[in-house]
Amino acid sequence: MKQIKFLIALLIIASTYSCTSDFDEVQVSPTESQAISDPDGIEVMEYSNSNILSKGRGFSFNNTNVSFLSFPSISVFRRTITLLEARATYHDDQFIAANANLNDDQLSQLEIEIGFNPYEPLERFGSSYNFNDSMLKDYIEAENNWLGKRELDIENDPDKKFFHLEEEELAVLNRDGVVKIGNSIYKIIKGGYFEITDGNLQTLTKLIENRVNPCEEQLSKNEYPNVNVVSDCGGGGGGPTPTYCMQSRDARDHWTFGGDKMMKEEVVLVKSPLWGTKIKSKTKFFKKRWPGIFYRYRSDLVAALNGKYDRETSDCGEFAFEFDEKIHRETKHHKSKVKYKYEVNESYQNIYIKPGKVTGYHYQRSNLRTQPLD
């Protein structure tokens, strides 16, 4: 009887997963993510100069070439990211559940002693495709180098270096910030991305080798005829809006307190054809342990949003939605990171925020910091 119920549950999950056209509206729980396999059509490809040398799962690649992932559609791309996030959450939840008798200090100490790897499900995903050049790999190395010191160098915070992307997003990009979706190749840059609309690898290698920066130079359409630029200083973004309205913005800060604790606060408005449209608040916590150096540390954390956003461009629009930090919040126990994310329905892509109208709330137990989105 239990087996029948389990099979029925799997069928329901699979049906919901495959029949929904707008995946942003699908909620995949961490537990459900274990029963859902990777979406079909994901491949690994390579570039070296201008040639695709190989593709497919389980192939042995030449180390002189750089691999990247190819997704058949934006829906599959976002679906994969959602699954990876849920699997990583499940992995961490299982570690906490298996040690339910331990407090935060004991959990953190055990994590250090056994070398618990919070990124294991994300690394396992890459390994299953023989994808060895993920940006996540470089991020983990940078984070390990950043931590383990008596004082943390805020200017070299690895989150800054890696575009403030989530770990599951880094897992689908390669070390150059490259991914293929449909016919287009995307290369992530600060504040946006290049889109090579014809998927030409010669164009990709030229962009990488020339280190093209749209903030420093205008992209020549004669030299790059099939490249679109979406960035803070390279055009794109959906046209003009009132200067006091925001479509994409982020605000971040670090707070050191008690002599041995640090909390990182982040509130972000993302409006991107790649990542979707979302407003999120994130809290990270670090603490010193013997011999007086910082580690990721577990505690009771909260990330929440307060304020409002609008839908139209005229004067930032009529009032559309209001956040309440007592409702729009994520409260987690024994975590080193917590994130509240509000994903905006695709039909409401044109959302705008006036500076200071949305604020992130960040708690570590009774310690509170607020971060306005200015």
Side-chain angles (χ1 to χ4, degrees):
M1 188 66 180
K2 288 183 178 179
Q3 288 180 329
I4 293 174
K5 288 182 178 179
F6 178 70
L7 288 172
I8 291 173
L10 288 182
L11 288 172
I12 291 171
I13 292 169
S15 175
T16 302
Y17 181 71
S18 61
C19 297
T20 306
S21 58
D22 184 1
F23 186 78
D24 283 347
E25 297 182 359
V26 173
Q27 300 297 318
V28 178
S29 76
T31 303
E32 288 174 341
S33 70
Q34 307 306 296
I36 301 175
S37 59
D38 294 345
D40 293 333
I42 302 173
E43 293 183 328
V44 133
M45 307 176 78
E46 288 189 337
Y47 53 86
S48 177
N49 296 325
S50 61
N51 299 313
I52 302 177
L53 300 180
S54 52
K55 65 180 180 178
R57 236 184 203 191
F59 196 90
S60 227
F61 295 118
N62 187 323
N63 290 330
T64 61
N65 306 308
V66 183
S67 59
F68 65 102
L69 290 176
S70 173
F71 296 84
S73 67
I74 189 65
S75 176
V76 171
F77 177 71
R78 291 190 190 170
R79 194 170 293 172
T80 303
I81 291 170
T82 299
L83 279 175
L84 291 178
E85 180 183 15
R87 289 172 185 170
T89 299
Y90 178 82
H91 176 63
D92 197 64
D93 288 346
Q94 289 297 102
F95 172 73
I96 295 170
N99 301 283
N101 59 317
L102 303 182
N103 61 28
D104 292 338
D105 286 335
Q106 293 166 335
L107 268 175
S108 299
Q109 182 62 34
L110 178 64
E111 183 172 9
I112 295 166
E113 289 175 355
I114 68 173
F116 174 77
N117 180 7
Y119 306 120
E120 182 182 335
L122 308 181
E123 293 178 322
R124 190 164 59 243
F125 166 79
S127 296
S128 71
Y129 289 93
N130 228 5
F131 174 48
N132 301 314
D133 296 311
S134 77
M135 187 172 279
L136 176 67
K137 184 177 180 180
D138 289 349
Y139 173 82
I140 293 171
E141 181 179 351
E143 185 185 50
N144 288 337
N145 290 335
W146 185 67
L147 291 170
K149 295 178 175 61
R150 293 182 180 275
E151 300 298 332
L152 296 181
D153 182 0
I154 304 306
E155 293 305 312
N156 287 317
D157 183 342
D159 286 337
K160 292 182 179 180
K161 181 179 178 182
F162 291 88
F163 311 109
H164 294 286
L165 294 173
E166 302 296 335
E167 290 89 347
E168 59 272 10
E169 294 167 344
L170 295 173
V172 297
L173 300 174
N174 82 350
R175 67 191 188 203
D176 293 320
V178 172
V179 65
K180 188 171 188 287
I181 305 172
N183 295 323
S184 293
I185 293 176
Y186 296 84
K187 173 173 168 39
I188 306 302
I189 55 177
K190 184 177 181 180
Y193 55 84
F194 293 120
E195 180 190 6
I196 305 170
T197 58
D198 60 353
N200 190 301
L201 286 174
Q202 287 182 327
T203 303
L204 172 63
T205 53
K206 187 157 67 169
L207 284 171
I208 293 172
E209 290 168 4
N210 293 339
R211 299 185 180 182
V212 177
N213 186 341
C215 295
E216 297 176 356
E217 57 188 300
Q218 189 70 29
L219 194 72
S220 168
K221 276 296 180 183
N222 290 329
E223 189 176 2
Y224 298 98
N226 296 314
V227 177
N228 294 328
V229 184
V230 176
S231 78
D232 292 340
C233 46
T241 63
T243 56
Y244 45 81
C245 300
M246 303 184 296
Q247 281 187 288
S248 293
R249 191 65 63 93
D250 57 76
R252 297 172 174 86
D253 205 356
H254 301 72
W255 181 36
T256 303
F257 58 101
D260 64 346
K261 303 176 184 70
M262 175 182 282
M263 185 160 65
K264 287 172 58 176
E265 312 99 43
E266 173 183 315
V267 56
V268 181
L269 166 64
V270 178
K271 181 180 183 293
S272 166
L274 282 182
W275 313 116
T277 301
K278 62 198 71 176
I279 307 171
K280 63 183 179 181
S281 175
K282 184 163 65 175
T283 305
K284 284 186 174 182
F285 183 58
F286 306 89
K287 186 177 177 181
K288 285 183 179 180
R289 286 197 59 105
W290 188 90
I293 57 178
F294 276 100
Y295 294 90
R296 284 189 305 269
Y297 209 81
R298 294 182 179 271
S299 185
D300 297 343
L301 302 178
V302 173
L305 290 169
N306 199 69
K308 64 182 181 180
Y309 74 81
D310 303 299
R311 290 180 186 166
E312 305 299 333
T313 59
S314 176
D315 194 31
C316 291
E318 297 297 322
F319 166 72
F321 190 89
E322 185 168 358
F323 293 110
D324 182 337
E325 65 97 5
K326 295 180 181 178
I327 300 171
H328 300 95
R329 63 194 279 129
E330 190 70 33
T331 302
K332 292 289 186 181
H333 303 292
H334 309 308
K335 292 283 186 176
S336 58
K337 178 186 75 172
V338 62
K339 174 176 59 180
Y340 175 79
K341 179 173 58 176
Y342 182 83
E343 296 201 27
V344 181
N345 187 292
E346 291 295 325
S347 61
Y348 300 130
Q349 279 286 342
N350 292 322
I351 68 167
Y352 300 89
I353 290 178
K354 291 181 181 179
K357 290 296 183 180
V358 170
T359 298
Y361 279 67
H362 312 272
Y363 292 86
Q364 184 266 327
R365 294 184 177 166
S366 61
N367 297 303
L368 166 65
R369 290 276 286 187
T370 59
Q371 182 64 54
L373 190 58
D374 292 323

